[in-house]
């Protein structure tokens, strides 16, 4: 057994197999579920994004409130560095952020449930180009997730229109198109 564990070829094959399985699992998520909060985590019907109590801050300490996001399409991803599925979906979230970073109508927010020090200390957070956030006040009860990662998409009226728990490929063309459609939709 020890010879197998120390064999570089076997280690490489196991790592490659794991990556293939993770990619296959990520690709199988999401399709056919866009546009609906059914089968996903739910927020109370009366909770609108801009009405959520609580604040969050970037790693430089600049604070924001959920009220600051009124009128925007917002993807809120709740995650932690100790969570393997959270870590696995971060490249997809960064790609999504890259697509919308210059679009003032859309925000992609990855808010960690950890402290700023824990987040800064992790090599993953140092490798990402997108801003990362932490809660600077207690997590709003409506956003307390039973498991991580949990992601919500809010429309321009602040309504949750999609919820998903678990890893997903957030940069899939269907998701990008869905967010774009929400951003272009005129409110009544």
């Amino acid at each position: 057994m020890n010879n197998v564990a120390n064999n570089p070829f076997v280690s490489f094959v196991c790592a490659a197999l794991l990556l293939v399985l993770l990619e296959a699992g990520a690709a199988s998520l999401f399709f056919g579920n866009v546009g609906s909060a059914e089968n996903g985590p739910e927020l109370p019907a009366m909770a609108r994004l801009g009405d959520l109590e609580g604040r969050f801050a970037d790693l430089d300490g600049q604070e924001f409130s959920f009220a600051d996001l009124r009128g925007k399409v917002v993807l809120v991803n709740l995650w932690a560095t100790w969570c393997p599925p959270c870590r696995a979906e971060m490249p997809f979230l960064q790609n999504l952020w890259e697509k919308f970073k210059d679009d003032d109508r859309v925000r992609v927010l990855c808010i960690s449930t950890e402290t700023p020090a824990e987040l800064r200390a992790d090599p993953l957070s140092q490798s990402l180009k997108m801003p990362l956030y932490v809660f600077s006040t207690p997590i709003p009860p409506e956003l307390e997730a039973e498991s991580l990662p949990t992601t919500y998409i809010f429309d321009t009226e602040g309504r949750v229109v999609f919820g998903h728990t678990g890893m997903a490929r957030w940069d899939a063309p269907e998701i990008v198109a869905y967010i774009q459609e929400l951003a272009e939709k005129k409110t009544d």
Side-chain angles (χ1 to χ4, degrees):
M1 179 75 173
N2 196 20
N3 290 337
V4 171
N6 291 330
N7 185 327
F9 178 74
V10 171
S11 296
F12 173 77
V13 169
C14 289
L17 181 60
L18 179 62
L19 286 174
V20 167
L21 290 173
L22 283 173
E23 182 64 26
S28 69
L29 294 175
F30 244 134
F31 302 108
N33 222 9
V34 176
S36 169
E38 294 176 20
N39 300 322
E42 294 182 27
L43 287 180
M46 72 286 214
R48 300 251 177 169
L49 180 66
D51 297 333
L52 293 178
E53 297 293 325
R55 299 183 65 77
F56 55 97
D58 63 21
L59 294 183
D60 292 328
Q62 182 176 357
E63 280 201 352
F64 305 91
S65 73
F66 291 103
D68 297 336
L69 303 169
R70 284 191 172 108
K72 299 183 185 311
V73 174
V74 181
L75 180 144
V76 174
N77 175 267
L78 304 171
W79 74 290
T81 59
W82 51 259
C83 165
C86 300
R87 297 176 71 85
E89 75 176 356
M90 277 296 144
F92 305 131
L93 286 159
Q94 179 160 291
N95 291 343
L96 183 68
W97 174 80
E98 287 282 346
K99 290 180 189 318
F100 289 106
K101 70 180 180 181
D102 296 324
D103 188 337
D104 194 47
R105 303 169 302 167
V106 177
R107 292 288 177 267
V108 175
L109 303 175
C110 297
I111 307 177
S112 175
T113 58
E114 299 163 291
T115 66
E118 290 170 318
L119 194 53
R120 273 191 216 97
D122 191 275
L124 174 66
S125 66
Q126 297 168 16
S127 70
L128 296 170
K129 294 178 185 173
M130 68 179 167
L132 299 173
Y133 303 91
V134 295
F135 285 101
S136 52
T137 61
I139 299 172
E142 298 90 344
L143 292 180
E144 288 182 356
E146 291 183 21
S147 61
L148 297 176
T150 294
T151 305
Y152 299 103
I153 298 176
F154 295 86
D155 68 9
T156 57
E157 295 180 23
R159 298 176 300 210
V160 64
V161 293
F162 184 83
H164 180 77
T165 298
M167 187 178 91
R169 187 170 190 135
W170 294 104
D171 59 350
E174 295 84 355
I175 300 305
V176 173
Y178 180 64
I179 291 173
Q180 187 70 41
E181 178 184 320
L182 288 172
E184 292 171 359
K185 185 177 179 183
K186 302 288 184 216
T187 56
D188 297 330

